[in-house]
Amino acid sequence: MPLPKAELHVHIEGTLEPELAFALAARNGVELPYRDTEELRRAYLFQDLQSFLDLYYGLTAVLRTHDDFTELADAYLARATAQGVRHAEIFFDPQAHTARGVPIGTVVEGLARALTAGEERYGISGRLIMCFLRDESAESAMHTLEAAKPYLHRITAVGLDSAEVGHPPSKFREVYAAAEALGLRKVAHAGEEGPPSYIREALDVLGVERIDHGLRCTEDRDLVERLARERIPLTLCPLSNVRLRAIDMLEEHPLRDMMDAGLLCTVNSDDPAYFGGYVGDTFHAVREALGLDDERLRELARNSFEASFLEDDEERRARLIAEVEAYDFGVRPPE
Ligand code: ADE
Ligand code: ZN
């Protein structure tokens, strides 16, 4: 049995495996600019975040109906469950779909249906986090929040994603204030490619409770101290950082140093269909590359539940943390 964990940073559009992309393309009569899944996979060589986003948003063209979104989320929940994920907080990008004429209700209801079925089928709990595209205007984000109002009972939080540099969190001050007034929790991507000042802005201007990525906080000692003192969770995505070239190789990832500095770190997959693994694979990869022992892995798993938005089910959170504490890693054969 794999180590129980929560995943707090996964974009549902980033779980679209090539096989499903082609199946949906055929079903919906969408022509893809790739001959087959192999040619598509060969295109997964990214220079940076933007080169990834160009391909990623292009592929969302295959997602059109309720059923498409349900199938996408169900496939993720099945894979995540197999890797020990017991609770998943899932990002979605409504503007990537509404811009193509897909109503926001189709997206939210399609995903929510999979989450409800997933509880029954896999025993996994799920929440939805609606992200605004930061390279779109603040007006567009406000319009998206407005359009989401009939579906807020299915949405736990708002987030901020897409191309970071040049789009600081402060651009979305009013939207986040409006989201808070609607009772939504708040997170934001910051410090993935952008500077430490974006992390400060996300905290001070948007009032976020978690920082997605936060990798570049390590460049600012005062910020690291503050994040540790205030117990602000970071949802790190080490495989993503390598694939999008924020770092050269996994062995150079600062995760271990960040944990040593007292930061509340979690590890996550970000866009697992593109970056070489789901969250269990990510745990395995950081264990190998950074030499993390079992207790470090236990800490990461415990952190994932502590940082999760399970305030509406504290009993479940406590039960899952107890499972992490009791988890027996067993004796691994020498390699
Ligand atoms: N959307 C999907 N993956 C993302 C990432 N790593 N950073 C920003 N936006 C994203
Ligand atoms: Zn992300």
Side-chain angles (χ1 to χ4, degrees):
M1 189 190 75
L3 176 64
K5 54 184 83 69
E7 175 145 63
L8 307 179
H9 186 152
V10 58
H11 301 262
I12 201 64
E13 296 87 352
T15 69
L16 179 58
E17 292 285 344
E19 290 71 20
L20 182 58
F22 272 89
L24 294 179
R27 191 157 92 193
N28 293 327
V30 175
E31 188 136 356
L32 289 175
Y34 311 95
R35 216 174 318 122
D36 52 29
T37 55
E38 272 164 42
E39 187 177 313
L40 175 56
R41 277 207 171 84
R42 278 199 297 275
Y44 292 179
L45 285 173
F46 308 112
Q47 277 68 56
D48 54 16
L49 176 57
Q50 188 62 57
S51 64
F52 159 68
L53 292 172
D54 292 343
L55 188 151
Y56 163 90
Y57 288 125
L59 216 56
T60 61
V62 303
L63 295 162
R64 305 214 71 90
T65 68
H66 267 102
D67 284 352
D68 298 344
F69 286 95
T70 304
E71 226 173 287
L72 177 68
D74 181 64
Y76 163 71
L77 294 173
R79 283 175 184 264
T81 300
Q83 298 202 356
V85 176
R86 309 290 295 280
H87 176 76
E89 301 190 353
I90 301 173
F91 297 131
F92 68 105
D93 284 340
Q95 289 151 294
H97 311 298
T98 54
R100 302 180 290 108
V102 178
I104 191 167
T106 299
V107 182
V108 179
E109 287 178 345
L111 296 175
R113 196 165 57 178
L115 294 191
T116 302
E119 290 201 12
E120 282 278 299
R121 206 174 285 162
Y122 312 117
I124 192 171
S125 48
R127 304 282 186 273
L128 292 176
I129 302 179
M130 178 172 78
C131 284
F132 304 116
L133 301 184
R134 67 199 309 153
D135 47 350
E136 298 287 334
S137 67
E139 290 71 34
S140 172
M142 195 64 100
H143 182 75
T144 301
L145 182 63
E146 191 64 37
K149 279 187 178 166
Y151 310 101
L152 291 185
H153 59 291
R154 297 309 315 235
I155 300 173
T156 298
V158 292
L160 191 61
D161 66 1
S162 194
E164 185 181 7
V165 174
H167 303 284
S170 52
K171 179 175 161 185
F172 297 92
R173 179 199 302 263
E174 287 80 15
V175 184
Y176 269 65
E180 183 181 327
L182 290 169
L184 292 163
R185 314 286 296 261
K186 297 177 293 181
V187 300
H189 283 53
E192 180 185 17
E193 287 188 344
S197 63
Y198 283 21
I199 299 174
R200 291 181 185 280
E201 270 190 25
L203 295 170
D204 296 332
V205 180
L206 304 185
V208 302
E209 299 170 70
R210 294 198 300 244
I211 296 287
D212 296 315
H213 291 292
L215 183 70
R216 289 190 59 191
C217 75
T218 55
E219 297 167 25
D220 180 334
R221 189 153 9 132
D222 290 345
L223 179 58
V224 169
E225 278 174 17
R226 174 184 174 186
L227 291 167
R229 194 173 56 245
E230 296 181 12
R231 302 281 293 157
I232 308 285
L234 305 180
T235 63
L236 296 166
C237 305
L239 297 183
S240 166
N241 298 147
V242 176
R243 293 298 183 103
L244 301 186
R245 304 200 184 186
I247 57 169
D248 289 334
M249 51 202 284
L250 197 55
E251 286 73 8
E252 291 172 13
H253 198 283
L255 170 65
R256 175 193 270 279
D257 298 336
M258 294 172 85
M259 293 176 82
D260 286 343
L263 290 168
L264 203 167
C265 296
T266 66
V267 298
N268 305 271
S269 69
D270 206 4
D271 300 286
Y274 295 90
F275 299 152
Y278 286 74
V279 70
D281 305 314
T282 307
F283 268 69
H284 182 77
V286 294
R287 176 169 74 89
E288 295 297 304
L290 305 175
L292 300 186
D293 65 16
D294 293 346
E295 291 316 308
R296 289 300 182 110
L297 299 181
R298 196 188 306 279
E299 180 181 341
L300 288 169
R302 189 191 309 116
N303 287 350
S304 70
F305 292 116
E306 279 179 7
S308 71
F309 292 144
L310 267 170
E311 279 77 2
D312 55 352
D313 196 350
E314 289 294 357
E315 221 171 79
R316 179 167 173 78
R317 192 203 311 264
R319 201 162 358 99
L320 290 165
I321 290 175
E323 276 187 46
V324 170
E325 300 301 355
Y327 184 77
D328 181 1
F329 285 87
V331 181
R332 283 198 196 88
E335 309 210 353

